[in-house]
Amino acid sequence: MVIQVSDTGAVIPAQDLNRIFNAFYQVNNQHKKEGLGLGLSITKNIVEKLNGDIHVTSELGERTTFTFTMPQVKT
């Protein structure tokens, strides 16, 4: 199963894309909101514990898209 979430809001700079899943890392931009920088780290941990994968793409003037894949659950 593949799930994508896109947003046309603030862009994540290319130099930050490989670090945004690190605990306590926050992108330094003008739209900064209060927080600890844990949300994406926790999300990645959960997805990986469920044998999934998560990644992000972000393009200036376009959108930021988070994509994660999860294995099929056999019932």
Side-chain angles (χ1 to χ4, degrees):
M1 170 183 353
V2 177
I3 300 170
Q4 290 186 318
V5 178
S6 295
D7 184 341
T8 57
V11 173
I12 301 169
Q15 67 269 17
D16 292 316
L17 287 175
N18 64 341
R19 295 182 280 192
I20 62 168
F21 293 105
N22 296 344
F24 303 108
Y25 186 79
Q26 295 183 348
V27 175
N28 186 16
N29 65 27
Q30 62 195 11
H31 303 291
K32 188 171 184 171
K33 296 180 181 178
E34 290 185 33
L36 296 176
L38 290 173
L40 289 174
S41 175
I42 291 169
T43 300
K44 182 177 181 182
N45 190 289
I46 291 169
V47 168
E48 289 179 346
K49 294 280 186 206
L50 296 170
N51 296 317
D53 186 45
I54 185 168
H55 67 274
V56 61
T57 58
S58 189
E59 298 179 33
L60 184 61
E62 293 295 320
R63 62 182 60 238
T64 298
T65 302
F66 288 88
T67 303
F68 67 94
T69 58
M70 301 298 290
Q72 286 289 102
V73 176
K74 296 180 182 181
T75 57

